[in-house]
Amino acid sequence: MLSGMSTMFWLKRRHLRAELNFWLWAAGADLDDARDLSERIYLLYLVALVGGCLVACWLWILGLVTGAATATDSEMAAITADAAMLIAGAALALPACSAALWSVRAAWRSPWAASAPDASWLAQTPVALPCWNVIELVPRMAARAILAGAAGYLVAAFAACALAGTATLAMCLPFAVTCGCATAAACAASWLVGIVRLRLTAARRLPLTGIVAAVAIALAVCSGMAMPALSHVARDLIAATPTACAAPLGTAAAALLATAATLPAAASLSASSLTYEATDAQAYAVRHMALYNPKMYRALIKRRAAARRKPLGHMPRIEGTGTVLARSAISLLRRYDTLPQLLAAGAVLAPAGAGLLTGSLAQTSAALGLLGGAAGGRVLGAACWLLFAINCSELPRSLARTFLDDTSNRFMRDHLPISTPKLLALDALPSLAVAAIASALVCIPVAWAAGVSAALDTFASALALDATLLLCGALDAAERTPGKLRLSCEGALGVTAVASALLAAVLPAALAPLAFWAAAAIVALASLRTL
């Protein structure tokens, strides 16, 4: 059952080496290039530096925890002791809640997935799946057990100082071991749920998720109801009573039994089931992008996940430009993971711009005499919205996602008998409709609070900003031609903020929506010249 253990150790050693190189890359070091003495000394220096920082941080946190448990009077000491017992009981209930959460996640998405190169290489070697299961599970269990044990030690130190005035290793270690072993058992139990999910067909995985979610809710409720009993167990553990030794031994036995239960369950799996959901494992080679370009890395992960989904809907039998519109609607249906971004653009970014760019802070600044009066309030509002929009620049790009996909595929774009402005209008119409509906829903409370007229003005301004955000996101499709002025998405957002704020300051308050539509016209002209 555990044949091929040495082969799996060799593979995990290569993975560990790649993992270390990933983190050492930020420090300018590499295990593969450390051949001379100076580079090896530098590696030892990094190890000593990181170890010293960890020890110093641990002692600092431990000092803060024990200092927080120190009380000056008897009344405060009694309150601190009661709070400490409540926290200790919650710490013992946390592994059960973690098991519930991890089990639901494992039922929805398997925690065990292999990349295609690993699977193809292991298919040529006599490695048993139970062995593979143990090698993948034990490091995850150990990492979570260490973190939970460290947190449990801090909780025990706080409770011991609150009860006895001092915290020793003999008082804190049993509680920490109990927390760590219970967390390891929770990890193994959720892993077993993930293996069960891999054995089921696609039609049975949704009912499994519902059953596991119901059991998880019941487990979380039971753990909350057992808080008084867990507080008494925590008190016995911290007091180091002889009967308290059963808790660490019991949780350790539960962790071992849960780990052993995964062996026969993994023996009936097929290697193909492990590579079916290996989307994140396939992105292992581009993980460095998560450090220097996290937005592109998240977009890449979403694209890989979308590529593995089953297609939803089908193209209707229509001709002409309606085909482009139908394809855009189906693309939005299939990429339903972009709906939160569309809703955020229509319900948050556009209404915020409608309020901040029209000078909502100007009256407050003028009344309080801050920031240079009304003019300073308008400048501050425009600057706040611009920084917010630039920081959330993926929202305008999500509005123009279908257009960007069509223009990036040169083979498809060259065979579309349609102009670029018309393609932009048809591709972006479904996304713009979703954002407009979100903006309209946000304006309902405005109508309730300030009247229908103010709500209509806000909706008109937000709708203009929705269209402007769409045009800003579409600018990523512009060609980089030497000597030609190219307006970026962030630059167009700056033009929008400045133009809207200036026009809103000049026009009367009743004509504030015209300022946003004029800014949209300016951005539209610039976008058409750029595209």
Side-chain angles (χ1 to χ4, degrees):
M1 182 178 289
L2 297 180
S3 60
M5 185 73 77
S6 60
T7 304
M8 283 303 305
F9 277 131
W10 179 85
L11 181 62
K12 295 304 292 183
R13 186 170 65 249
R14 287 183 61 88
H15 286 178
L16 180 60
R17 189 180 186 88
E19 190 77 18
L20 290 175
N21 280 332
F22 172 72
W23 293 106
L24 289 174
W25 174 75
D30 195 336
L31 293 175
D32 298 330
D33 295 335
R35 295 183 177 88
D36 55 359
L37 183 60
S38 61
E39 293 178 348
R40 293 178 181 178
I41 292 175
Y42 180 65
L43 288 176
L44 292 176
Y45 164 73
L46 290 178
V47 171
L49 180 63
V50 172
C53 290
L54 290 177
V55 172
C57 291
W58 170 256
L59 295 177
W60 174 64
I61 296 174
L62 186 61
L64 288 179
V65 169
T66 54
T70 304
T72 56
D73 53 355
S74 58
E75 183 178 357
M76 191 64 188
I79 295 175
T80 305
D82 294 339
M85 286 298 97
L86 184 63
I87 294 173
L92 291 180
L94 190 60
C97 299
S98 300
L101 180 62
W102 294 338
S103 298
V104 173
R105 178 179 173 83
W108 178 257
R109 181 181 181 182
S110 176
W112 184 15
S115 62
D118 289 347
S120 61
W121 181 77
L122 290 171
Q124 306 172 14
T125 58
V127 176
L129 282 177
C131 171
W132 194 351
N133 165 75
V134 171
I135 295 298
E136 294 288 340
L137 173 59
V138 170
R140 292 173 171 84
M141 286 179 57
R144 296 181 182 183
I146 290 173
L147 291 177
Y153 192 94
L154 294 176
V155 172
F158 179 79
C161 288
L163 293 175
T166 182
T168 62
L169 183 63
M171 299 172 66
C172 301
L173 190 58
F175 188 89
V177 172
T178 302
C179 291
C181 293
T183 304
C187 179
S190 64
W191 191 271
L192 185 61
V193 173
I195 293 178
V196 173
R197 181 189 186 279
L198 289 174
R199 295 179 61 183
L200 297 178
T201 59
R204 296 181 178 179
R205 289 175 178 175
L206 185 59
L208 174 66
T209 305
I211 295 172
V212 172
V215 175
I217 293 173
L219 181 60
V221 172
C222 292
S223 62
M225 296 174 61
M227 284 285 293
L230 293 176
S231 298
H232 289 295
V233 173
R235 184 183 295 271
D236 293 338
L237 285 171
I238 295 171
T241 59
T243 57
C245 298
L249 296 177
T251 52
L256 292 177
L257 289 176
T259 305
T262 61
L263 296 178
S268 59
L269 289 177
S270 61
S272 60
S273 62
L274 301 179
T275 60
Y276 181 75
E277 297 180 359
T279 304
D280 293 340
Q282 304 293 350
Y284 186 82
V286 294
R287 290 184 311 149
H288 289 88
M289 192 183 297
L291 295 178
Y292 58 82
N293 197 345
K295 292 183 179 179
M296 185 176 293
Y297 179 77
R298 288 195 298 267
L300 179 62
I301 294 298
K302 289 181 180 179
R303 285 179 178 274
R304 294 198 176 201
R308 301 190 67 89
R309 299 194 192 113
K310 292 183 179 180
L312 300 175
H314 61 278
M315 286 291 295
R317 295 182 179 179
I318 56 178
E319 297 180 356
T321 57
T323 306
V324 181
L325 182 60
R327 179 192 170 277
S328 177
I330 293 176
S331 177
L332 177 61
L333 179 64
R334 293 178 177 178
R335 290 295 301 274
Y336 53 83
D337 56 312
T338 61
L339 285 177
Q341 296 178 341
L342 300 179
L343 295 176
V348 179
L349 188 57
L356 292 175
L357 296 178
T358 52
S360 59
L361 300 179
Q363 296 179 356
T364 305
S365 300
L368 298 178
L370 301 175
L371 304 172
R378 291 183 179 275
V379 172
L380 178 63
C384 290
W385 185 83
L386 179 58
L387 291 176
F388 177 54
I390 292 177
N391 191 39
C392 302
S393 59
E394 68 273 6
L395 300 183
R397 292 182 172 93
S398 65
L399 290 170
R401 181 193 57 81
T402 307
F403 174 73
L404 296 177
D405 292 342
D406 288 345
T407 53
S408 62
N409 189 347
R410 286 299 175 189
F411 177 79
M412 180 178 180
R413 179 65 188 96
D414 294 340
H415 289 79
L416 289 177
I418 188 174
S419 62
T420 300
K422 196 172 184 179
L423 178 64
L424 173 60
L426 294 175
D427 278 346
L429 187 59
S431 300
L432 184 60
V434 173
I437 292 173
S439 299
L441 293 177
V442 171
C443 293
I444 294 177
V446 178
W448 182 270
V452 179
S453 178
L456 291 177
D457 291 342
T458 304
F459 175 69
S461 303
L463 185 60
L465 277 176
D466 288 333
T468 308
L469 293 174
L470 167 64
L471 295 171
C472 294
L475 288 172
D476 281 357
E479 298 181 355
R480 289 180 169 86
T481 305
K484 181 180 178 181
L485 180 62
R486 178 180 179 271
L487 188 63
S488 63
C489 176
E490 288 76 7
L493 290 173
V495 172
T496 302
V498 173
S500 301
L502 290 177
L503 292 174
V506 174
L507 295 175
L511 301 178
L514 294 179
F516 294 98
W517 286 107
I522 294 173
V523 175
L525 292 176
S527 301
L528 292 178
R529 290 182 60 87
T530 305
L531 295 174

